[in-house]
Amino acid sequence: MATPVSVLRLPKGPDPNSRGFDPRSPRFIALCRTSICTSAASEADPEQLQREQHARSVLRESFLRCLLSMTDKKVQFHMHEKVKVAATFGASDIDVLNFQVSNLHTPIGVQKEALIRCQDVISFTFDA
Amino acid sequence: MQDDWSLLGPLQWIRYVNKRVTVTAGKDEERRGWLLTVDPVSASLVLVDFREDGGTSVHVVMGHAVEEVQVLEEADEEMAERLRTSFLPSSSCSLDPEELRRRRGGVRSWLQKNRVPVEEEGDELKVAEVLTIRAPYGPEDCCSSNQIILDRIQRLIQNLIQTDP
């Protein structure tokens, strides 16, 4: 006799023209406040805004270059409760919410492909 | 030292760049290294550690887990340069002007053949005012804020390289 199983509802998926989840979905509100707002001082002063945006772009560019150089490298992830896992890094989404990795070595076995939720990660290490 | 690392903002973060720092994260994790950059989106720190055996280890501490950042020392010029170049693409431009001119002409006529509006501006190529191709005019040298145009032009140049290496 089959027992009925409750339906698990997934959050509304990305809309085809955009780059992420529905901005009104609970998942989005909880996890994806994508852009960090400009500071109050910068909003009032255009020169300050210019400086802030310049700093932002310099920082972001070298972060993206770092992510690029990490592709296909062995990465050690340090997660909460002292969990350590190793995997081959693939990619990150633009908001740095998920990492795509291959050959994730977990305590119960190797997962061929996986997404790691960044909220669960404290830090990660690789050899450049 | 600071209330909340992830709320500091780019102008504060950039002041930590090129400094040796200790970052406390999570419950009892501590990481040390030269701060290369802070991602302005996730506030994550990139720490570089040049090991004695010549290798380089990189630690990335996620912004949400950061408890405290302490500055230990500032980088001298040599270290700052080493940090700056640590993730730059290795193939820097080393072609002679003649070869560059030939490549520029090749890419330009290939784009025109594909009905893409392209203009020469100095030693750069400009596509429809929104995309710039710098020397040595490969797919990785295209620069644009429009992802779709960037993707198309990069593919076109890729095709050119495949047919005529």
Side-chain angles (χ1 to χ4, degrees):
Chain A
M1 190 60 178
T3 41
V5 176
S6 64
V7 177
L8 175 72
R9 290 210 184 276
L10 294 170
K12 196 176 160 193
D15 78 74
N17 311 315
S18 156
R19 58 192 180 103
F21 283 86
D22 176 10
R24 281 154 303 176
S25 74
R27 175 194 184 273
F28 189 92
I29 293 163
L31 293 176
C32 323
R33 271 182 285 141
T34 43
S35 40
I36 295 166
C37 324
T38 49
S39 56
S42 304
E43 254 165 52
D45 178 2
E47 243 175 65
Q48 172 87 354
L49 179 67
Q50 186 94 32
R51 273 202 301 278
E52 189 177 299
Q53 290 295 63
H54 178 72
R56 198 188 297 273
S57 67
V58 168
L59 291 169
R60 181 70 169 170
E61 183 182 342
S62 48
F63 183 72
L64 292 179
R65 288 202 190 281
C66 170
L67 281 186
L68 266 181
S69 72
M70 200 156 66
T71 321
D72 293 329
K73 292 231 169 85
K74 271 280 228 188
V75 177
Q76 278 267 354
F77 290 94
H78 300 243
M79 313 182 66
H80 290 285
E81 303 302 330
K82 294 193 195 274
V83 175
K84 282 186 188 152
V85 292
T88 308
F89 191 83
S92 160
D93 52 12
I94 53 169
D95 311 315
V96 200
L97 290 170
N98 299 284
F99 294 135
Q100 181 263 314
V101 295
S102 307
N103 296 321
L104 176 67
H105 292 256
T106 71
I108 54 163
V110 179
Q111 181 78 30
K112 191 92 190 85
E113 299 294 338
L115 284 179
I116 294 181
R117 196 166 59 167
C118 295
Q119 300 280 325
D120 299 341
V121 178
I122 293 173
S123 73
F124 53 93
T125 305
F126 69 101
D127 279 353
Chain B
M1 195 152 102
Q2 61 271 317
D3 301 335
D4 194 341
W5 173 257
S6 56
L7 294 178
L8 281 183
L11 287 174
Q12 298 299 315
W13 289 324
I14 209 163
R15 287 164 49 182
Y16 289 85
V17 169
N18 288 349
K19 304 223 162 102
R20 210 167 115 80
V21 294
T22 305
V23 182
T24 323
K27 275 199 190 112
D28 49 6
E29 275 215 25
E30 201 179 273
R31 297 247 165 259
R32 243 167 232 220
W34 293 96
L35 185 74
L36 181 77
T37 186
V38 182
D39 174 36
V41 175
S42 65
S44 305
L45 300 95
V46 180
L47 303 178
V48 180
D49 193 9
F50 298 107
R51 289 193 312 260
E52 279 176 12
D53 61 9
T56 310
S57 4
V58 182
H59 310 285
V60 182
V61 184
M62 304 304 294
H64 64 80
V66 173
E67 294 289 334
E68 199 189 3
V69 182
Q70 264 183 328
V71 177
L72 300 174
E73 59 177 309
E74 297 212 14
D76 53 18
E77 231 159 76
E78 190 190 339
M79 182 53 83
E81 181 63 18
R82 203 168 164 192
L83 283 169
R84 201 180 61 77
T85 50
S86 49
F87 287 118
L88 281 183
S90 50
S91 63
S92 59
C93 181
S94 59
L95 293 160
D96 65 281
E98 193 48 48
E99 170 69 11
L100 282 179
R101 199 178 1 246
R102 203 184 59 76
R103 281 194 188 213
R104 186 162 68 230
V107 170
R108 185 189 167 156
S109 60
W110 172 248
L111 291 177
Q112 280 169 338
K113 213 169 173 180
N114 285 282
R115 310 212 174 277
V116 175
V118 57
E119 278 169 27
E120 270 185 52
E121 261 191 35
D123 53 1
E124 292 180 345
L125 290 170
K126 276 231 146 102
V127 176
E129 303 282 311
V130 291
L131 183 138
T132 315
I133 313 171
R134 294 196 197 112
Y137 315 104
E140 294 303 312
D141 306 309
C142 300
C143 187
S144 171
S145 56
N146 186 320
Q147 291 179 32
I148 297 163
I149 296 179
L150 181 64
D151 184 51
R152 287 212 182 148
I153 301 293
Q154 283 185 315
R155 269 189 228 197
L156 271 176
I157 296 178
Q158 193 65 52
N159 287 343
L160 172 68
I161 292 168
Q162 274 159 9
T163 51
D164 168 38

